[in-house]
């Protein structure tokens, strides 16, 4: 028999994955081009040429058993050096390779970070709506997830007053994700400063560290020149969990890092703990070949303008049809209000027109849906007719 913990996880199996499966079945029935699947955040933009070139050149030029071999659990030194140099140049920081642990994407980065800082019965705060997997990651360590309610009045910017109220002596960490999945919003410098002020004040009051974990798979995916503040500049006990999944369109390759700046309390021990957590989680080390590729591609990113084109077209058309949407500033999601307030019902009705998206109940935020626009532009263009029928069904006023 499976364990009680796994039983719970199986029962709550991801709605997003379920939608993806439904999409697959619909596509078999109606043909790929007639199904508008906006359920999954799987990058649609091509992998940059530099990534594939790097793979070929590494395989040609480097000694094979070194390319594919074990290395120290925190990852190759030269790879971490390239990343630290790149960040130092971009953000004026002064990291060294010692501050980085290479991981299998952000999912693994978050898991091994949480494993390294959490004790049973502590609490981790998340801002709703939030990436649904956080709940599984946190509860895995017998720790309570504390949600801050969605800020419906103010474009889903974190509610700072509620944050302050919910911090107590059990609070170990707060997770933020900007650019955000599922809302697409980017937290401004002011918002980050407000969060750090509250955390610093509470740290003093409670006499212990509260970590700010910044989950950053979408850091490079921003539009209209929007700036993403570099979080560790604003709060001392920041841990950054980064991923190349979306930046380089390589989610299946599983590569990212944890960054623990020197300023973090007890940083050396924490880095060692995260490194060991990487090993004992069974992942051992981030995949070798793709680590080496990252070293050659630290300053490369995918074609963000394609996502931007999708974003503009979809947003403009949804608004024109009468849907209420949060204007996305980053990532590749549009957050749309369910016209009658029932997000699950909205998704069911949308399916009649072969439109697939995810109810935000699964992100801790009833009444909205997430539309992932990381698809071909053609899919978005051809879907507008279906959105129009859906809008008519809800008697929305076209603008
Ligand atoms: N965090 C957020 C907010 C995400 O949206 C995702 C993936 O979609 C992840 C973490 C996991 O990313 P990775 O593929 O790097 O594990």
């Amino acid at each position: 028999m499976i364990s009680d913990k796994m039983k719970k996880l199986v029962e709550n199996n991801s709605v997003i994955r379920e939608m993806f499966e439904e999409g697959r079945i619909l596509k078999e029935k109606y043909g790929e081009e007639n199904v508008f699947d906006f359920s999954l955040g799987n990058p649609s933009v091509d992998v940059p040429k530099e990534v594939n070139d790097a793979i070929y050149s590494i395989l040609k030029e480097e000694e094979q058993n070194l390319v594919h071999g074990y290395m120290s659990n925190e990852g190759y030194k030269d790879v971490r050096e390239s990343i630290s140099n790149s960040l130092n140049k971009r953000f004026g920081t002064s990291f060294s390779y010692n501050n980085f642990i290479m991981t299998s994407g952000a999912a693994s980065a978050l898991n091994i970070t949480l494993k390294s800082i959490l004790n049973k019965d502590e609490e981790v705060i998340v801002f709703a709506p939030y990436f649904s997997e956080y709940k599984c990651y946190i509860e895995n360590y017998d720790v309570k997830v504390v949600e801050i309610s969605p800020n419906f009045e103010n474009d889903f910017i974190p509610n700072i007053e509620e944050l302050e109220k919910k911090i107590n002596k059990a609070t170990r960490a707060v997770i933020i994700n900007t650019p955000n999945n599922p809302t697409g919003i980017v937290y401004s410098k002011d918002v980050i400063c407000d969060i750090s002020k509250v955390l610093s004040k509470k740290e003093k009051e409670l006499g212990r560290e509260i970590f700010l974990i910044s989950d950053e798979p979408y850091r490079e995916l921003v539009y209209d020149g929007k700036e993403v503040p570099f979080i560790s500049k604003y709060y001392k006990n920041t841990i950054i969990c980064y991923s190349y999944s979306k930046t380089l369109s390589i989610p299946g390759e599983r590569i990212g890092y944890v960054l623990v700046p020197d300023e973090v309390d007890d940083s050396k021990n924490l880095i060692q703990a995260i490194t060991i957590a990487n090993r004992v989680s069974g992942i051992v080390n981030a995949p070798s070949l793709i680590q080496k590729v990252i070293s050659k591609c630290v300053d490369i990113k995918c074609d963000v303008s394609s996502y931007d084109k999708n974003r503009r077209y979809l947003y403009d058309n949804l608004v024109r049809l009468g849907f209420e949407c949060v204007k996305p500033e980053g990532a590749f999601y549009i957050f749309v209000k369910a016209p009658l307030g029932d997000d699950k019902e909205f998704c069911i009705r949308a399916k009649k027109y072969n439109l697939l998206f995810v109810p935000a109940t699964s992100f801790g935020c009833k009444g909205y849906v997430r539309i992932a626009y990381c698809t071909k532009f053609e899919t978005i263009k051809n879907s507008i007719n279906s959105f129009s029928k859906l809008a008519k069904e809800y008697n929305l006023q076209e603008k």
Side-chain angles (χ1 to χ4, degrees), residues 41 104-110 130-131 133-134 137 177 179-182 215-218 242-246 250-252 254-256 332-333 370:
S104 294
S108 171
L110 288 162
Y130 56 86
F131 180 51
E133 304 283 286
Y134 290 161
Y137 300 167
N177 166 228
N180 185 265
N181 173 12
D215 176 27
E216 304 190 353
Y218 303 99
Y242 186 83
S243 167
Y244 293 93
S245 292
K246 322 283 171 168
I250 51 169
R254 314 303 307 135
I255 190 73
F332 39 48
Y333 308 104
R370 186 194 77 174

Side-chain angles (χ1 to χ4, degrees), residues 196-214:
S196 6
K197 263 188 226 148
V198 168
L199 296 189
S200 304
K201 181 177 152 201
K202 287 289 175 182
E203 277 194 333
K204 269 198 205 112
E205 235 173 76
L206 299 164
R208 68 182 214 138
E209 315 86 26
I210 302 169
F211 294 102
L212 180 59
I213 301 176
S214 180

Side-chain angles (χ1 to χ4, degrees), residues 71-75 80 97-103 108-109 112-113 115-116 258 260 267-286:
M71 81 297 303
S72 48
N73 299 136
E74 60 268 43
R80 292 178 292 138
Y97 68 91
N98 280 318
N99 298 111
F100 295 82
I101 302 104
M102 300 305 295
T103 65
S108 171
I112 60 177
T113 298
K115 189 178 177 68
S116 304
V258 180
V260 182
S267 65
K268 287 202 170 52
N269 277 331
L270 180 56
I271 290 165
Q272 196 186 15
I274 295 173
T275 304
I276 292 171
N278 208 17
R279 195 182 80 224
V280 300
S281 69
I283 288 171
V284 182
N285 57 255

